[in-house]
Amino acid sequence: MKSILTIIIFLCCLLQVGYTQHIPLGMKYQAVARDEKGQIFAERDLQLKISLYSNIDQKKVAYGEIHKVITNQLGLFSLTIGEGIKYTGEFKDIPWSTNDIWMEVAIQTDDETDFVTISSSKMLSVPYAFHAATASELVGGSNDGRGGTTDAVTYW
């Protein structure tokens, strides 16, 4: 009986370590939906089109997805960018390290047929943390399993 309990505890620990060693591919996004007059879309079904692009002039979309959301009584909605219905690109292939990334958010209400852009802004530092997962590649080293590299020289 003791050996079975020991094996179960060992397997639980092993599964937990394996499960917690991944980088979540997503960003939280929250906003209040309003119409062009500033009136809140309270308790409404909406679709949002999120486009992440790397060239502001050409608007070359690196990744795009659509979310269906329901606003609350204050017009607030929340979503995770990276977990929507993908329409182009792969989230993991966004060029965080080589380009400035812009995010465009477009909204479609249930009585409209086209998406209307409500914001377009340059992404700032927090999403660039995704690039930290590939930091060892910058110096040509390999990861030592403890968050560092096996190279003798460290570049900051």
Side-chain angles (χ1 to χ4, degrees), residues 2 13 24 30 34 43 51 77 89 93 97-99 111 117-118 134 136-137 142 148 151 155:
K2 263 187 168 178
C13 291
Q30 186 176 55
R34 298 175 183 265
E43 298 177 344
S51 303
F77 65 88
D93 294 333
S97 64
T98 57
N99 295 90
D111 57 349
T117 300
I118 58 172
T134 61
S136 64
E137 295 172 10
S142 60
D151 290 343
Y155 296 95

Side-chain angles (χ1 to χ4, degrees), residues 104-125:
E104 182 178 275
V105 179
I107 192 169
Q108 180 185 47
T109 60
D110 52 356
D111 57 349
E112 295 178 334
T113 57
D114 293 330
F115 283 94
V116 176
T117 300
I118 58 172
S119 73
S120 181
S121 59
K122 183 178 176 182
M123 301 295 291
L124 299 176
S125 61

Side-chain angles (χ1 to χ4, degrees), residues 33 41 44-48 67-71 107-109:
F41 284 131
R44 297 270 306 266
D45 293 333
L46 304 172
Q47 285 198 91
L48 294 162
H67 288 265
K68 294 180 181 184
V69 298
I70 300 172
T71 61
I107 192 169
Q108 180 185 47
T109 60

Side-chain angles (χ1 to χ4, degrees), residues 16-37:
Q16 183 178 1
V17 169
Y19 178 73
T20 60
Q21 299 300 316
H22 73 331
I23 298 171
L25 295 179
M27 298 177 291
K28 295 293 185 184
Y29 182 78
Q30 186 176 55
V32 173
R34 298 175 183 265
D35 65 13
E36 64 277 350
K37 295 177 186 173

